[in-house]
Amino acid sequence: MNIYKNRLPLTSLGFDIDCVVADTMEAFIRIAREEYTIDIKPEQITHFNVEQCLNMDDAIVQTIFHKLMVDPIGYKLKLLPDARPVLQKIQTQAPLTFITARPLRDPIVDWLEHELGSQITADMHIIAMGDHDSKTEHILDLGLTHFIDDRFETCETLAQEGIIAMVFDQPWNSGRHSLPVVRSWQDIHACCFPLE
Ligand SMILES: [Mg+2]
C-alpha cells in the first residue's frame, strides 16, 4: 500500500502522544542517566514494556514514567523533530485530536499548550483514558478514520475495527507488524500534504 497516494483526512485523523508527538524515549533515557546513573541506548528499547528489555529495577522504570506523567514540562519532555510545524500546519485546516493512554489529562494538556502554543491547542480534542486497550471506542466515538500510534498492538486492534492505523516507527515495533508505517513527521507531512 502506498500511503502517500491517498491524502490523510485531516478532520478525521488522530494521534497518540507518547513516542509519536512527544520524544518520551529521549526523556526516559535522560532521566535514567541523570538521576539514576543508568546508561541506556535507544536501540536497547526493543519492547514497549521497557521492563522486558532493560536490566532495570521495575520501581525505577515506574518512577521515571510517573515523573513524565505528572510533570512533563518540569522534566523537559520535548516534541519529536518536526512535530511542531506539521501539527501547526494541520491545525490550520482541522482541530488536532490526541488520544493517549496516560491516565492524567491536565499535565499533558498543559504540556501540549506549552510546546505548541495556545492558538494551536485552543480547539484541540484530547482524551486521556489510562488504558492502552480502550482507544478503539474513543476513536470510533470521535468519528476518526485514521490514527497514528507507536504501539503496534494498538494499531492492529484498530485495524480490525476498520480504522486505518499507521505505526510510528520505533525500535520496539519495527518489523513486528504488517501495517502502514510512518518514520518521521516529515513522512506524516507527506501523507497529509502529498501534492506539495
Ligand atoms: Mg505511544
Side-chain angles (χ1 to χ4, degrees):
M1 173 181 172
N2 183 350
I3 55 176
Y4 296 101
K5 283 188 177 165
N6 298 314
R7 178 187 160 140
L8 290 182
L10 303 186
T11 55
S12 55
L13 170 64
F15 301 95
D16 173 40
I17 295 179
D18 287 295
C19 302
V20 171
V21 173
D23 196 352
T24 314
M25 182 168 67
E26 180 281 329
F28 181 88
I29 291 172
R30 172 169 41 78
I31 295 169
R33 186 181 64 244
E34 291 178 355
E35 298 197 10
Y36 301 96
T37 60
I38 298 171
D39 263 317
I40 303 162
K41 294 185 171 38
E43 58 269 23
Q44 289 178 274
I45 304 182
T46 55
H47 200 285
F48 185 85
N49 297 317
V50 297
E51 300 92 328
Q52 295 185 20
C53 56
L54 298 178
N55 185 21
M56 264 177 94
D57 187 332
D58 281 5
I60 294 177
V61 170
Q62 296 311 319
T63 300
I64 295 174
F65 281 127
H66 185 77
K67 291 171 190 284
L68 290 169
M69 179 180 69
V70 298
D71 189 11
I73 296 175
Y75 283 97
K76 298 184 169 54
L77 181 64
K78 297 299 179 202
L79 292 161
L80 275 162
D82 302 317
R84 182 184 291 109
V86 178
L87 286 168
Q88 287 172 340
K89 187 168 176 179
I90 293 171
Q91 191 270 343
T92 63
Q93 302 195 18
L96 300 173
T97 300
F98 302 100
I99 300 181
T100 174
R102 285 173 172 250
L104 289 181
R105 187 177 187 278
D106 288 352
I108 201 66
V109 168
D110 292 345
W111 178 80
L112 283 164
E113 188 174 317
H114 180 262
E115 290 293 319
L116 295 173
S118 54
Q119 312 96 305
I120 306 302
T121 56
D123 62 353
M124 73 175 170
H125 305 293
I126 177 163
I127 291 176
M129 77 312 196
D131 175 10
H132 290 292
D133 294 319
S134 65
K135 281 189 178 175
T136 309
E137 62 184 88
H138 293 287
I139 287 169
L140 293 172
D141 279 353
L142 288 168
L144 303 182
T145 57
H146 291 64
F147 197 75
I148 301 176
D149 202 299
D150 65 293
R151 186 171 179 264
F152 76 89
E153 296 94 331
T154 299
C155 290
E156 287 177 339
T157 303
L158 297 178
Q160 286 167 10
E161 297 295 325
I163 296 157
I164 311 265
M166 301 168 74
V167 180
F168 196 100
D169 192 50
Q170 293 283 8
W172 49 92
N173 62 43
S174 209
R176 298 178 69 183
H177 61 88
S178 55
L179 293 166
V181 171
V182 285
R183 299 185 190 285
S184 66
W185 277 88
Q186 291 178 358
D187 262 4
I188 295 174
H189 183 272
C191 295
C192 292
F193 307 97
L195 301 178
E196 292 179 16

